[in-house]
Amino acid sequence: MALTGAMSAAISGLKTHMEALNVVGNNIANVNTYGYKAQRVTFKESIYNTLSAGSAGTQAVGGTNPRQIGYGCSIGTIDLDMTTGSLEPTGMPTDCTIKGDGFFLVGPKTLDVKDVNALKSLTLTRVGNFEFRDGYLTDGQGNVVYGFLTTTEDPKGTTTGTPGVLPDGADLNVSTALVPIRLPMKATGMDSTGAPMAGVTAGDAVYVGVDNTTGQNVDPGTVPAGGGAAVGPQVNGYIDYENLSIDANGKITCTNKDTGDPVVVGYIALGSVDNPNGVLHTDGPYYTAGDAAGGITISTPNSAVTGSLNNGKMYLNNGGQGGNNVVDPDSMLSGKSGVSLLTSFLEQSGTDLATEFSNMIIYQRGYQANTRIVTVTDTMLEELVNMKR
């Protein structure tokens, strides 16, 4: 029956408006969820039945236009609004929010970030509720935050990968390999053989090395595959710290309780993708950089220093070249405007209640109108059936 086309179109309209209302419901449900990015629905026309394809004009008559009847609508896109939301002060010194585009990078402790594919296996998030647990900087769900660590490596790369104590007056260097952020270890004053170690006192901060062969952290007391001293400092857990803070450049600092020395743990890394709206939303506040997101770039806040591949590993682009696998922190503190961290704040939900309630009314009326088509079509079918009595 020809009237069933109207029924089919109305049913597709009902389904589509119900799906759109589901999106609105999810947006409103997350009105107080930190870092939530609101979704937007667009509709598209469904398939058409072509009654006549149309024809070109001739010398005698004009042409005719196509005649088509549509079969309703469907969901065209469900887009993420990745613009930065309002900020809420929390008073927590380790809470961070990104001012501008970008994501924090989180993942397991043991992920070997050697190439772009491994890099894309890291999880992206905009929620920076960080704290140190078991020596590692983690977010609220326990995922480890990735970045670049302070190291005692020589700028020329001659002691690459060797853990140790930063000598008094020595220049601070930061490893260029992307690794999980962790606290320095606490020295016992002995070396790994149990003998007193020159220049090291109990409680000193022993910075982990970064092995340039694997691109992973090297614990004190081990011999890194990339070379270094055979006898390392003996350690007993992580340092006891106080006055922990994170600044606008992602620089993590604290005070060593045992020695009173200032400690720079490292720098938080940021990841940016070519198409932020193309990230795939997973569980909670997390995203993955799938094919639609495009390439991923690593940098630090307020920095012109970005990530690049060298020898199959992810490095900052002014490190990992010619044996030099560390950078001067001063080069990480300027150059890239518009992307920085604001500490003691978290990003509020991107849900705009006024917009969502307006959309709710529109979708409700659209749903109601489609039910009327179903009702009218049913009445007309009833009249058709009743023609023979």
Side-chain angles (χ1 to χ4, degrees):
M1 297 181 186
L3 289 175
T4 57
M7 184 79 78
S8 298
I11 291 173
S12 73
L14 292 174
K15 291 180 178 179
T16 303
H17 282 83
M18 191 68 250
E19 290 174 352
L21 196 59
N22 289 338
V23 173
V24 170
N26 187 56
N27 287 339
I28 293 177
N30 286 281
V31 66
N32 290 314
T33 301
Y34 287 125
Y36 176 75
K37 299 302 179 185
Q39 295 176 297
R40 181 197 66 177
V41 175
T42 63
F43 291 9
K44 70 174 182 179
E45 299 167 275
S46 192
I47 61 173
Y48 279 84
N49 177 28
T50 301
L51 304 179
S52 171
S55 63
T58 68
Q59 292 182 349
V61 297
T64 60
N65 294 327
R67 290 183 292 131
Q68 295 176 292
I69 297 178
Y71 281 88
C73 65
S74 61
I75 295 292
T77 63
I78 301 178
D79 305 312
L80 284 172
D81 181 3
M82 298 301 293
T83 56
T84 302
S86 300
L87 306 181
E88 179 177 321
T90 64
M92 300 291 290
T94 55
D95 283 347
C96 300
T97 189
I98 302 172
K99 295 174 65 179
D101 295 334
F103 300 88
F104 298 111
L105 302 163
V106 299
K109 298 177 182 178
T110 56
L111 185 65
D112 188 0
V113 183
K114 286 186 177 181
D115 55 33
V116 171
N117 291 329
L119 179 64
K120 282 200 168 187
S121 65
L122 285 174
T123 303
L124 311 177
T125 181
R126 294 277 299 185
V127 182
N129 54 335
F130 301 144
E131 63 178 305
F132 278 99
R133 299 188 184 100
D134 300 323
Y136 285 84
L137 185 66
T138 64
D139 68 3
Q141 307 302 315
N143 294 297
V144 180
V145 182
Y146 274 66
F148 305 96
L149 290 180
T150 300
T151 178
T152 58
E153 297 170 11
D154 186 275
K156 296 181 180 179
T158 55
T159 57
T160 295
T162 305
V165 177
L166 196 66
D168 291 337
D171 289 335
L172 175 66
N173 289 301
V174 178
S175 172
T176 64
L178 185 66
V179 293
I181 295 177
R182 57 188 290 191
L183 289 167
M185 311 292 282
K186 182 192 294 188
T188 64
M190 306 291 181
D191 63 25
S192 56
T193 67
M197 191 168 187
V200 179
T201 59
D204 277 345
V206 180
Y207 296 89
V208 299
V210 177
D211 188 339
N212 294 310
T213 299
T214 65
Q216 292 186 315
N217 291 336
V218 179
D219 283 318
T222 64
V223 181
V231 179
Q234 189 181 95
V235 296
N236 181 24
Y238 296 97
I239 63 168
D240 296 317
Y241 64 87
E242 57 186 358
N243 303 324
L244 182 71
S245 64
I246 303 173
D247 68 11
N249 305 306
K251 181 181 179 182
I252 307 169
T253 58
C254 64
T255 302
N256 188 336
K257 275 187 178 181
D258 293 321
T259 64
D261 295 329
V263 173
V264 178
V265 179
Y267 290 80
I268 293 175
L270 296 181
S272 59
V273 294
D274 297 336
N275 176 23
N277 292 329
V279 294
L280 181 64
H281 205 160
T282 58
D283 185 40
Y286 301 117
Y287 305 88
T288 56
D291 293 339
I296 185 168
T297 303
I298 304 301
S299 64
T300 54
N302 276 332
S303 175
V305 179
T306 56
S308 62
L309 288 174
N310 184 58
N311 297 327
K313 297 176 289 296
M314 177 56 64
Y315 287 104
L316 292 178
N317 62 8
N318 60 347
Q321 308 294 331
N324 182 2
N325 295 290
V326 294
V327 295
D328 183 343
D330 290 340
S331 68
M332 304 174 72
L333 303 182
S334 63
K336 188 176 183 180
S337 61
V339 181
S340 61
L341 295 188
L342 187 62
T343 55
S344 299
F345 283 84
L346 289 177
E347 185 178 353
Q348 292 182 339
S349 170
T351 298
D352 183 338
L353 280 178
T355 299
E356 299 306 325
F357 281 125
S358 297
N359 287 338
M360 184 190 303
I361 295 171
I362 293 170
Y363 298 150
Q364 180 187 17
R365 291 308 182 192
Y367 189 92
Q368 184 181 33
N370 279 278
T371 62
R372 295 297 182 267
I373 296 296
V374 173
T375 302
V376 170
T377 305
D378 177 59
T379 301
M380 294 176 72
L381 287 172
E382 182 182 10
E383 291 296 328
L384 181 63
V385 172
N386 290 334
M387 285 177 66
K388 184 177 185 311
R389 298 187 180 180

